[in-house]
Amino acid sequence: MLYLGCPMWANASWKHSLFRADCKTADFLQQYSQVFNSVEGNTTFYADPKPEALQRWAAQTPADFRFVLKVPSRISHQANADAQPELKNWWQSLQPLHSRIGQVHLQLPATAGPEQLAWIAAMLDALVADVRCCVEVRHLAFFDKAEHEVGLNRLLRDYGAERVVFDSRALFAVPASNPALIDAQRKKPRLPVHAICLTDAPVVRFIGCDDAAINRQHYQPWLAKIRQWLDEGKTPYCYFHTPDNASAPELCRAFVQDLGLDHPVLKQWPGEQHQTTSGIQPELW
């Protein structure tokens, strides 16, 4: 199975396509989950959702839908000695959504290097008995294909945790010609791309631009890799970004179309169905 999604589920610019034109903000997730079976839960990186929000998210999604929720930045970006109990408390606070959480995503800052391997191990100790974990590193030492990278990969494999593959090559293949691109290139890291799979649930984050041809050029290698993982019985989690994410759903659709996989993203979306019933024929990819 392929878990496919965007870095969010709420984007008003998706009205008339992914969402019906009259879709209310409260219904974004419900219509999103008709097309995608997963989403990056970046919202938890910035704030803790209230229990009623978690209950609503669970009620609005099918049983096989999966959230990949980020560890709050107050934990992942501070590396405090008391972070382990705080992480355990955070996980318990998500209880209303536990059945829908596919992985917990520990995204580390670029300052977190090999000297923090013991801290990473403590974070995994707090979670792996209850949920799958994936770790995203941005310190260049972890891309050395030598001692530090081998040490990180061995640690993650020992804990049954995955290493997130972050691919921003398409984003940086174009000049920063508009505010959204400038902002995206300022915030997103530019890192080596190592197509690593340590478990049976690899995680890929593809950061594209707004040029479909350039995105297609840069995701070509992933078509073969994702097919290989699927053929091996693995369950990849793949997420596609664009600078302001206005065209992220279309990027997902183009990728799956080129992948040759049957997926709901290739069917008419709620907004397209509404256009059809209104007498307007949408242009399908």
Side-chain angles (χ1 to χ4, degrees), residues 8-34:
M8 60 177 65
W9 65 77
N11 191 322
S13 67
W14 297 345
K15 288 187 176 183
H16 301 280
S17 58
L18 185 61
F19 303 144
R20 288 168 55 102
D22 59 356
C23 184
K24 297 177 181 178
T25 302
D27 297 327
F28 282 170
L29 179 56
Q30 187 275 331
Q31 292 195 14
Y32 173 94
S33 65
Q34 292 179 35

Side-chain angles (χ1 to χ4, degrees), residues 26-240:
D27 297 327
F28 282 170
L29 179 56
Q30 187 275 331
Q31 292 195 14
Y32 173 94
S33 65
Q34 292 179 35
V35 174
F36 296 102
N37 59 359
S38 189
V39 69
E40 283 188 349
N42 288 312
T43 181
T44 54
F45 186 73
Y46 302 102
D48 292 344
K50 296 179 180 179
E52 55 267 30
L54 296 169
Q55 292 166 359
R56 186 172 63 252
W57 297 351
Q60 290 180 323
T61 53
D64 59 353
F65 187 89
R66 293 294 177 263
F67 293 84
V68 173
L69 298 183
K70 281 188 181 177
V71 171
S73 62
R74 70 175 186 275
I75 300 174
S76 63
H77 282 49
Q78 300 303 320
N80 295 327
D82 59 351
Q84 190 181 56
E86 186 175 4
L87 183 58
K88 288 182 178 179
N89 289 337
W90 172 76
W91 168 249
Q92 289 306 315
S93 75
L94 302 175
Q95 195 281 330
L97 199 66
H98 277 184
S99 65
R100 299 288 196 280
I101 299 175
Q103 300 202 40
V104 166
H105 179 179
L106 177 63
Q107 178 184 295
L108 300 177
T111 54
E115 71 282 355
Q116 288 187 289
L117 281 180
W119 184 87
I120 296 172
M123 296 299 97
L124 295 175
D125 262 330
L127 291 172
V128 294
D130 300 313
V131 65
R132 283 185 176 272
C133 298
C134 57
V135 177
E136 181 178 332
V137 293
R138 297 183 172 186
H139 194 291
L140 286 177
F142 288 132
F143 296 85
D144 64 1
K145 295 185 177 181
E147 175 188 358
H148 298 309
E149 183 165 14
V150 170
L152 171 67
N153 293 348
R154 183 182 296 118
L155 171 70
L156 297 179
R157 188 179 289 110
D158 287 346
Y159 276 95
E162 191 52 75
R163 178 174 173 176
V164 176
V165 181
F166 186 91
D167 186 351
S168 60
R169 291 175 292 188
L171 174 67
F172 290 100
V174 296
S177 56
N178 59 61
L181 263 173
I182 292 171
D183 186 58
Q185 291 185 358
R186 178 176 62 85
K187 292 179 178 178
K188 301 296 185 186
R190 193 172 188 172
L191 297 167
V193 179
H194 295 177
I196 294 171
C197 175
L198 303 176
T199 72
D200 61 355
V203 182
V204 177
R205 303 179 71 209
F206 182 91
I207 318 299
C209 61
D210 288 320
D211 187 314
I214 290 175
N215 289 336
R216 181 170 275 115
Q217 173 189 342
H218 283 85
Y219 71 53
Q220 287 300 312
W222 287 114
L223 296 172
K225 181 57 67 174
I226 298 300
R227 290 191 197 104
Q228 174 192 334
W229 286 338
L230 290 170
D231 289 344
E232 292 171 349
K234 300 184 188 301
T235 304
Y237 287 72
C238 297
Y239 302 100
F240 291 84

Side-chain angles (χ1 to χ4, degrees), residues 223-279:
L223 296 172
K225 181 57 67 174
I226 298 300
R227 290 191 197 104
Q228 174 192 334
W229 286 338
L230 290 170
D231 289 344
E232 292 171 349
K234 300 184 188 301
T235 304
Y237 287 72
C238 297
Y239 302 100
F240 291 84
H241 303 226
T242 56
D244 58 6
N245 290 312
S247 57
E250 285 79 6
L251 176 53
C252 289
R253 176 181 267 179
F255 180 81
V256 173
Q257 191 171 48
D258 287 351
L259 187 62
L261 186 71
D262 184 28
H263 193 281
V265 75
L266 299 179
K267 299 181 172 70
Q268 277 195 330
W269 295 346
E272 294 171 342
Q273 293 169 6
H274 186 234
Q275 289 179 352
T276 301
T277 58
S278 300

